[in-house]
Amino acid sequence: MNHRKHSLYEQVYLSIKDAIIKGRLSPNERLREMKLAEMFNTSRTPIREALRKLERERLVTFETSIGAKVTDLNKETIKSMYECRSVLEGLAARKAALHIQQNDYYQLEEYIILGRQYFQAGHLERVVEKNTLFHQTIVKLSKNPSLIQMMDQVRTEIVRYRFITSSVGFRSTGFDEHEAILQSINNRDADKAEELMKNHIQDDLENILSGFNQYQVEL
């Protein structure tokens, strides 16, 4: 029985999280527990638990007057996230240059190739996926547990911004930058790998903020 409750809670949590990240639940959209309970054919308890966990991940906000809602998109929040990301992923690229193996190189190269192909075909959701895997793999190659844990805390929010602003926020030059970062890592040039990764993320931020402004206008 406890296993069934846990499985139901996980299903509810993951379904709501996916809907928020991919924009099917819009920023500031109210999340009514009763409606969600009916949707998932469950009591309100697993719904409430899922929403509280999503609140800890900053995807859901609770307000006294209305209850739970999808957290709004905020330029200051994304700026602060990307400042942290620049430092953390710069360090990850530096460390990855010490640990990369041939199989890692081929895997990262494949993410770049597929990402470029999906971009050209207009499959932006798949571009987000391959872009995320590229960065995530480099973070794992750092072999630094603390760094990996800190990146896990901000990755969900970053991916959410990416999905919602993807139609106006992607730039084709990002794939060339990925290639340059990968070559530096593979050449064991830790200094260059760190510098290129930081520059890449800063350029990414500026472009996302530009796309974010367009997104707000479209809203």
Side-chain angles (χ1 to χ4, degrees):
M1 184 68 174
N2 288 336
H3 175 71
R4 181 180 176 277
K5 286 183 177 179
H6 180 73
S7 297
L8 182 59
Y9 157 73
E10 283 295 322
Q11 178 187 346
V12 170
Y13 159 72
L14 291 173
S15 296
I16 297 174
K17 180 176 181 176
D18 187 67
I20 292 173
I21 289 174
K22 294 182 178 178
R24 293 193 297 272
L25 288 172
S26 302
N28 286 318
E29 184 171 341
R30 188 173 178 183
L31 300 169
R32 294 177 171 84
E33 291 182 7
M34 185 62 71
K35 182 178 179 180
L36 291 170
E38 292 175 358
M39 182 186 303
F40 290 101
N41 192 27
T42 183
S43 69
R44 294 171 67 174
T45 299
I47 302 295
R48 190 174 296 115
E49 291 173 353
L51 292 178
R52 287 299 180 186
K53 184 173 182 178
L54 291 167
E55 180 189 27
R56 292 193 293 273
E57 296 179 6
R58 303 202 298 185
L59 294 175
V60 167
T61 303
F62 281 85
E63 293 187 2
T64 304
S65 57
I66 65 171
K69 69 171 188 175
V70 178
T71 301
D72 192 17
L73 294 175
N74 184 291
K75 288 177 70 172
E76 294 307 315
T77 299
I78 197 170
K79 284 180 182 178
S80 65
M81 280 193 302
Y82 268 70
E83 285 178 356
C84 295
R85 185 186 174 196
S86 175
V87 173
L88 291 172
E89 290 205 41
L91 177 59
R94 168 177 286 278
K95 294 292 186 181
L98 306 177
H99 301 297
I100 191 169
Q101 302 296 319
Q102 189 173 45
N103 287 341
D104 301 319
Y105 174 83
Y106 289 143
Q107 184 66 79
L108 288 163
E109 186 179 46
E110 181 179 302
Y111 292 147
I112 296 171
I113 292 170
L114 290 175
R116 194 189 296 273
Q117 290 175 349
Y118 286 132
F119 180 82
Q120 292 170 347
H123 299 316
L124 297 180
E125 185 169 319
R126 302 303 297 273
V127 177
V128 173
E129 175 188 310
K130 299 307 176 186
N131 180 75
T132 301
L133 286 170
F134 177 84
H135 286 274
Q136 194 171 18
T137 300
I138 290 175
V139 169
K140 288 181 179 178
L141 282 174
S142 73
K143 310 292 186 183
N144 184 318
S146 296
L147 190 158
I148 293 169
Q149 183 179 22
M150 284 185 279
M151 276 305 304
D152 282 342
Q153 293 175 353
V154 299
R155 182 173 293 108
T156 297
E157 289 183 273
I158 290 170
V159 173
R160 180 192 177 211
Y161 278 90
R162 258 303 183 208
F163 269 115
I164 293 178
T165 65
S166 61
S167 61
V168 289
F170 269 109
R171 51 197 177 88
S172 58
T173 54
F175 302 109
D176 295 333
E177 292 166 14
H178 279 186
E179 288 178 353
I181 291 167
L182 177 56
Q183 291 305 319
S184 296
I185 291 173
N186 196 51
N187 291 337
R188 311 285 180 174
D189 190 339
D191 289 341
K192 187 174 181 180
E194 181 175 21
E195 179 185 5
L196 288 175
M197 180 64 83
K198 286 183 174 180
N199 291 341
H200 169 67
I201 292 172
Q202 181 59 43
D203 290 344
D204 205 30
L205 170 61
E206 292 175 3
N207 197 68
I208 283 183
L209 290 176
S210 173
F212 181 78
N213 289 335
Q214 295 179 47
Y215 172 79
Q216 286 185 311
V217 169
E218 290 174 2
L219 283 179

